[in-house]
Every structure is written in C-alpha cells, then in structure tokens.
Amino acid sequence: MANPIVAIVGRPNVGKSTFFNKLSGQRISIVDDTPGVTRDRIYFETEWGGRKLTLVDTGGIEKNSDNLILKHIVTQAQIAIDTADVIVFMTDVRTGVTADDKEVARLLKRSGKPVILAVNKIDSVGNLPPEFYEFYELGIKYGPFALSSVHGTGSGDILDQVLEILGDSETEEEDDDVINVAVIGKPNAGKSSLVNRLIGENRVIVSDVAGTTRDAIDSRMENEYGKYNFIDTAGIRRQSKIEDAIERYSVMRANMAVDRSDVCIIMIDAQEMVTAQDERIAGIAHESGKACIIAVNKWDLPEKDNTSTSEATKKVYDALSYMTYAPVMFISAKTGQRVDKLFEQINYVNLQSNTRISTGMLNDMLNDATTRVQPPSDKGRRLKIYYMTQIGVKPPTFVIFCNSEELFHFSYRRYIENCLRTTFGFRGTPIKLIIREKGEKNS
C-alpha cells in the first residue's frame, strides 16, 4: 500500500525546502545527462520509528507561476488538504505571525486534516525566544514545535508527532506476493480503460477528456495468474503544458507510483505511436530501474497487414533505443484484445527483475566474453577485468572490478550488458553495471 503522505506547507522562504532536504539527507533535484529522463522530485520516502513516510515539499509546486503569493500558498495548502494524511505547517519566528499565516491556518483548520505547526529558524530549541509564543494564537492543535531546519534540531519531535497522529492507521501489511503495477502514459492513452478491463469493474473514471484521472488510484485483485495491485496514474504531460498546481501535483504522484511499483506498463497510443512525451515517460520508468512492458493500445483502430506488428515494433524500439529489453505488446483496452496476455508478461518481467546469478556463473560468462572480444586499450595500457558479482535486484545490479575505470569504455560496457542478456535473459528489466577499480571501496 502507499505510504502515508506528509505535506510541508507554508509561505515562501520559511524554510520548507531546507527542512525537506535535511530530512531526506540530500538535495533532491535529480539531473541525468540522458535526454528525456530528468525529473525534479519534490517528494521523498523516508523512515521514522520503523514507519515509512512520503514527505512532500509543496514549495516547488508553483515556482513558475505569476499569481499572487497568497494565492500560491492557498493553492499549496489546498493540495495538501486534498492529498496528505498529515500536514506540517511551516512558519518563521523571525517574521512572526503574518496575515498570510493566519489565512492558511484558517484554511487548514477547516479541512479537518491533522496539522502540525512548526516554528522555524530557532537556533536553540532549549532557549525559546519570546516571539515563539505568539504562534499559539494560530490555534493549531499540534504544536507549535520549535525547529531549526538548517541544523535539523526539533525535526525528530515533529516526526514523532506525525507517527502519533498516524497511530495504527496503516490498513494492511504489505503482501510480498502482490506485484505492484504502475500503468503510465500520456493523457488519454487508455490507462484507465486498461485498468478497468484488467480488474473487471469500472473502478476508475474513463473519459475522452485528457487528464480525467487526477491522482494515482490503487486497484487490488487476485486471479489464476497471481495477486496484483494496479496503479492507474494521472497522464503525464509536457512540463510546459502543466499550468496549475493540481496538475503538477498529479505528475508528481505519477512519479511516486512508478517509484513504488515493481512493473511499469508504458501505454502507447497506436494512432500516434511513440511521441517525444512517450520517450520522456518511458525514461522515468527506465531511470527508476523498473521492469517494463510497452503496451501499444488501440491496436483495433489502425488498418493492418501481415507486417504491421513487426514494423510497429521496430518503430517503438527505434524511438526507445534504450529500452529494447522491454517486450512490446499490441492490445486494445476497449475490446479486450490480448489484454489477458498482460498477466503472463507481468509475472515474467517481474521474475526477471528479481533474478540472481551466482558469482561463479557470472565469471564463467565474463571469461567467455573477454576471450571473444578483447578488452580495450589506450596508449599501451589495456583494461583488465578481474571479476564481477551481483549485489542487488530490481533492477539486477552488478559490480565489475577492473584495473582502470577510465579504460572501461561505454561500448565495452554495453557489450558486457548484451552478454549478460544473451546468457541469462533479463528480458523486461534494466541492468545496472557499477565499475570499480580494484581496491576501491564499495561505498
């Protein structure tokens, strides 16, 4: 099941993002050199007191808007009200209680959601300034809590309060037998129709209007193939088209759905085939290391001949050249064409993503690969590969020890990956290779 969501709300410059980064232990914006896979993350999964939580920094939601500041804050607060389980309301002791703080406090209290009041920029929580006590006038039930988001002092008390509010509200233990499947794609690609077809009931609203699904919706089911949790996500649009905060939050929730999935079904519209936006969406799943199936939907609509499927598959792989490991299926969510076959593919790619290979078998493959194609050399110095071992699954992750990481060229890295796939399969899953110079620490 999804983690409880803790949203951080407040005026600009009160320290929301600093608090968020402090709790996450890193600066959260991820940048990748591969075109189409960069995503700005304003959420982070953390654990406190044995409980997993998803923290959300609402401060990044309307950074490109020209609206009035109060409107920004109210919109952020409304998003938190609609989607969060607990809200942390951040204020600034140096500015004191402002009119905007009072407006947001009224909005949050009317919502009925549990709200924790944090008073930030207090250097010593053991020596509270007189201004701290002004914040009691906001009438927030939980707090105020003194906080220094820069130093992290006081954050433990706030997280303890979060856990106390949540109590034993976790409705279900995570079932290890359940495969979490995120259905992702552009708006109107047929995601909700597919989920409805798979689960056999009209659980998700289906409409021809792009963006009908605002949030990630979980649908659990069990059949002769196994147990599944299908996550129908809001359609991911181009960032330039995301004009309002609710839409941006929906994109974030779709990214979160990918993060907690085991398998991603990437929906492609057969009438459009792979667009630049499809490439970006597929990149999100690939970057996250998820097992993937590419489902070309609405295959009942185009005119076809005997070569249509092979030609379409080639088009998909030409556009998604970094995902040729993912099987391509041609389906119709509307008519049910080949939809049942998805269950077998989901099970298969999930199994491949969890595959472990013994170190002995890996090094037999490695010895054969280096004998057939000699490692590269540069200026008289040749790459020597000592051994490799698997250190993880989901995705299968391998460490290769060698004499020089610099000599391990990308082309040879790709060659070794292809040898892994030829020998052991790994159909439907990315592979992660980590190159280490011998003697280098694994940390």
mmCIF file of all heavy atoms in Angstrom, residues 260-277:
data_model
loop_
_atom_site.group_PDB
_atom_site.id
_atom_site.type_symbol
_atom_site.label_atom_id
_atom_site.label_comp_id
_atom_site.label_asym_id
_atom_site.label_seq_id
_atom_site.Cartn_x
_atom_site.Cartn_y
_atom_site.Cartn_z
ATOM 1 N N ARG A 260 7.049 3.208 -6.411
ATOM 2 C CA ARG A 260 6.613 2.105 -5.548
ATOM 3 C C ARG A 260 6.107 0.902 -6.330
ATOM 4 O O ARG A 260 5.561 -0.036 -5.754
ATOM 5 C CB ARG A 260 5.554 2.581 -4.550
ATOM 6 C CG ARG A 260 4.248 3.055 -5.118
ATOM 7 C CD ARG A 260 3.376 3.616 -3.986
ATOM 8 N NE ARG A 260 2.119 4.138 -4.444
ATOM 9 C CZ ARG A 260 0.993 3.436 -4.532
ATOM 10 N NH1 ARG A 260 0.986 2.165 -4.182
ATOM 11 N NH2 ARG A 260 -0.117 3.987 -4.950
ATOM 12 N N SER A 261 6.305 0.919 -7.641
ATOM 13 C CA SER A 261 5.861 -0.207 -8.465
ATOM 14 C C SER A 261 6.965 -1.237 -8.621
ATOM 15 O O SER A 261 8.148 -0.959 -8.405
ATOM 16 C CB SER A 261 5.434 0.291 -9.850
ATOM 17 O OG SER A 261 6.558 0.740 -10.584
ATOM 18 N N ASP A 262 6.572 -2.441 -8.985
ATOM 19 C CA ASP A 262 7.509 -3.496 -9.378
ATOM 20 C C ASP A 262 7.639 -3.551 -10.896
ATOM 21 O O ASP A 262 8.710 -3.822 -11.433
ATOM 22 C CB ASP A 262 7.033 -4.857 -8.863
ATOM 23 C CG ASP A 262 6.877 -4.887 -7.357
ATOM 24 O OD1 ASP A 262 7.872 -4.648 -6.661
ATOM 25 O OD2 ASP A 262 5.743 -5.132 -6.877
ATOM 26 N N VAL A 263 6.505 -3.304 -11.566
ATOM 27 C CA VAL A 263 6.440 -3.369 -13.029
ATOM 28 C C VAL A 263 5.722 -2.128 -13.536
ATOM 29 O O VAL A 263 4.747 -1.675 -12.931
ATOM 30 C CB VAL A 263 5.685 -4.635 -13.488
ATOM 31 C CG1 VAL A 263 5.528 -4.653 -15.006
ATOM 32 C CG2 VAL A 263 6.387 -5.898 -13.014
ATOM 33 N N CYS A 264 6.204 -1.566 -14.647
ATOM 34 C CA CYS A 264 5.520 -0.446 -15.296
ATOM 35 C C CYS A 264 4.987 -0.892 -16.655
ATOM 36 O O CYS A 264 5.729 -1.475 -17.444
ATOM 37 C CB CYS A 264 6.462 0.734 -15.502
ATOM 38 S SG CYS A 264 6.915 1.584 -13.979
ATOM 39 N N ILE A 265 3.696 -0.629 -16.891
ATOM 40 C CA ILE A 265 3.134 -0.800 -18.228
ATOM 41 C C ILE A 265 3.115 0.583 -18.860
ATOM 42 O O ILE A 265 2.422 1.487 -18.386
ATOM 43 C CB ILE A 265 1.719 -1.399 -18.183
ATOM 44 C CG1 ILE A 265 1.750 -2.802 -17.574
ATOM 45 C CG2 ILE A 265 1.120 -1.451 -19.587
ATOM 46 C CD1 ILE A 265 0.373 -3.446 -17.434
ATOM 47 N N ILE A 266 3.905 0.750 -19.919
ATOM 48 C CA ILE A 266 4.007 2.037 -20.601
ATOM 49 C C ILE A 266 3.023 2.026 -21.768
ATOM 50 O O ILE A 266 3.178 1.262 -22.723
ATOM 51 C CB ILE A 266 5.440 2.277 -21.106
ATOM 52 C CG1 ILE A 266 6.422 2.220 -19.929
ATOM 53 C CG2 ILE A 266 5.548 3.608 -21.833
ATOM 54 C CD1 ILE A 266 7.868 2.056 -20.343
ATOM 55 N N MET A 267 1.995 2.859 -21.674
ATOM 56 C CA MET A 267 0.924 2.872 -22.663
ATOM 57 C C MET A 267 1.283 3.792 -23.831
ATOM 58 O O MET A 267 1.577 4.974 -23.624
ATOM 59 C CB MET A 267 -0.375 3.338 -22.025
ATOM 60 C CG MET A 267 -0.879 2.432 -20.920
ATOM 61 S SD MET A 267 -1.638 0.933 -21.551
ATOM 62 C CE MET A 267 -3.209 1.569 -22.116
ATOM 63 N N ILE A 268 1.235 3.246 -25.043
ATOM 64 C CA ILE A 268 1.481 3.999 -26.270
ATOM 65 C C ILE A 268 0.194 3.982 -27.095
ATOM 66 O O ILE A 268 -0.435 2.930 -27.253
ATOM 67 C CB ILE A 268 2.630 3.373 -27.096
ATOM 68 C CG1 ILE A 268 3.907 3.218 -26.248
ATOM 69 C CG2 ILE A 268 2.885 4.171 -28.360
ATOM 70 C CD1 ILE A 268 4.547 4.514 -25.841
ATOM 71 N N ASP A 269 -0.205 5.122 -27.612
ATOM 72 C CA ASP A 269 -1.388 5.215 -28.462
ATOM 73 C C ASP A 269 -1.025 4.772 -29.876
ATOM 74 O O ASP A 269 -0.165 5.372 -30.520
ATOM 75 C CB ASP A 269 -1.897 6.664 -28.469
ATOM 76 C CG ASP A 269 -3.255 6.811 -29.138
ATOM 77 O OD1 ASP A 269 -3.536 6.068 -30.086
ATOM 78 O OD2 ASP A 269 -4.031 7.701 -28.708
ATOM 79 N N ALA A 270 -1.685 3.720 -30.369
ATOM 80 C CA ALA A 270 -1.358 3.173 -31.690
ATOM 81 C C ALA A 270 -1.588 4.174 -32.814
ATOM 82 O O ALA A 270 -0.968 4.075 -33.881
ATOM 83 C CB ALA A 270 -2.184 1.908 -31.950
ATOM 84 N N GLN A 271 -2.460 5.136 -32.597
ATOM 85 C CA GLN A 271 -2.749 6.123 -33.640
ATOM 86 C C GLN A 271 -1.642 7.173 -33.761
ATOM 87 O O GLN A 271 -1.515 7.823 -34.791
ATOM 88 C CB GLN A 271 -4.089 6.795 -33.353
ATOM 89 C CG GLN A 271 -5.270 5.831 -33.434
ATOM 90 C CD GLN A 271 -6.568 6.490 -33.065
ATOM 91 O OE1 GLN A 271 -6.788 6.870 -31.912
ATOM 92 N NE2 GLN A 271 -7.444 6.644 -34.042
ATOM 93 N N GLU A 272 -0.877 7.343 -32.677
ATOM 94 C CA GLU A 272 0.212 8.331 -32.685
ATOM 95 C C GLU A 272 1.591 7.677 -32.672
ATOM 96 O O GLU A 272 2.574 8.284 -33.070
ATOM 97 C CB GLU A 272 0.085 9.260 -31.466
ATOM 98 C CG GLU A 272 -1.217 10.036 -31.406
ATOM 99 C CD GLU A 272 -1.289 10.902 -30.154
ATOM 100 O OE1 GLU A 272 -0.232 11.155 -29.543
ATOM 101 O OE2 GLU A 272 -2.399 11.309 -29.790
ATOM 102 N N MET A 273 1.657 6.451 -32.175
ATOM 103 C CA MET A 273 2.908 5.746 -31.903
ATOM 104 C C MET A 273 3.763 6.566 -30.922
ATOM 105 O O MET A 273 3.239 7.385 -30.181
ATOM 106 C CB MET A 273 3.639 5.399 -33.190
ATOM 107 C CG MET A 273 2.919 4.322 -34.009
ATOM 108 S SD MET A 273 2.488 2.806 -33.075
ATOM 109 C CE MET A 273 4.117 2.083 -32.829
ATOM 110 N N VAL A 274 5.080 6.356 -30.933
ATOM 111 C CA VAL A 274 5.918 6.927 -29.863
ATOM 112 C C VAL A 274 6.189 8.404 -30.135
ATOM 113 O O VAL A 274 6.792 8.758 -31.154
ATOM 114 C CB VAL A 274 7.240 6.158 -29.725
ATOM 115 C CG1 VAL A 274 8.081 6.758 -28.604
ATOM 116 C CG2 VAL A 274 6.973 4.681 -29.451
ATOM 117 N N THR A 275 5.744 9.255 -29.221
ATOM 118 C CA THR A 275 5.998 10.693 -29.319
ATOM 119 C C THR A 275 7.139 11.074 -28.377
ATOM 120 O O THR A 275 7.597 10.246 -27.568
ATOM 121 C CB THR A 275 4.742 11.491 -28.933
ATOM 122 O OG1 THR A 275 4.453 11.260 -27.538
ATOM 123 C CG2 THR A 275 3.535 11.067 -29.780
ATOM 124 N N ALA A 276 7.571 12.324 -28.453
ATOM 125 C CA ALA A 276 8.633 12.797 -27.555
ATOM 126 C C ALA A 276 8.198 12.671 -26.104
ATOM 127 O O ALA A 276 9.004 12.362 -25.224
ATOM 128 C CB ALA A 276 8.981 14.254 -27.885
ATOM 129 N N GLN A 277 6.907 12.892 -25.847
ATOM 130 C CA GLN A 277 6.419 12.770 -24.474
ATOM 131 C C GLN A 277 6.431 11.313 -24.010
ATOM 132 O O GLN A 277 6.739 11.027 -22.858
ATOM 133 C CB GLN A 277 5.008 13.351 -24.380
ATOM 134 C CG GLN A 277 4.422 13.352 -22.971
ATOM 135 C CD GLN A 277 5.206 14.231 -22.013
ATOM 136 O OE1 GLN A 277 6.211 14.842 -22.385
ATOM 137 N NE2 GLN A 277 4.756 14.295 -20.780
#
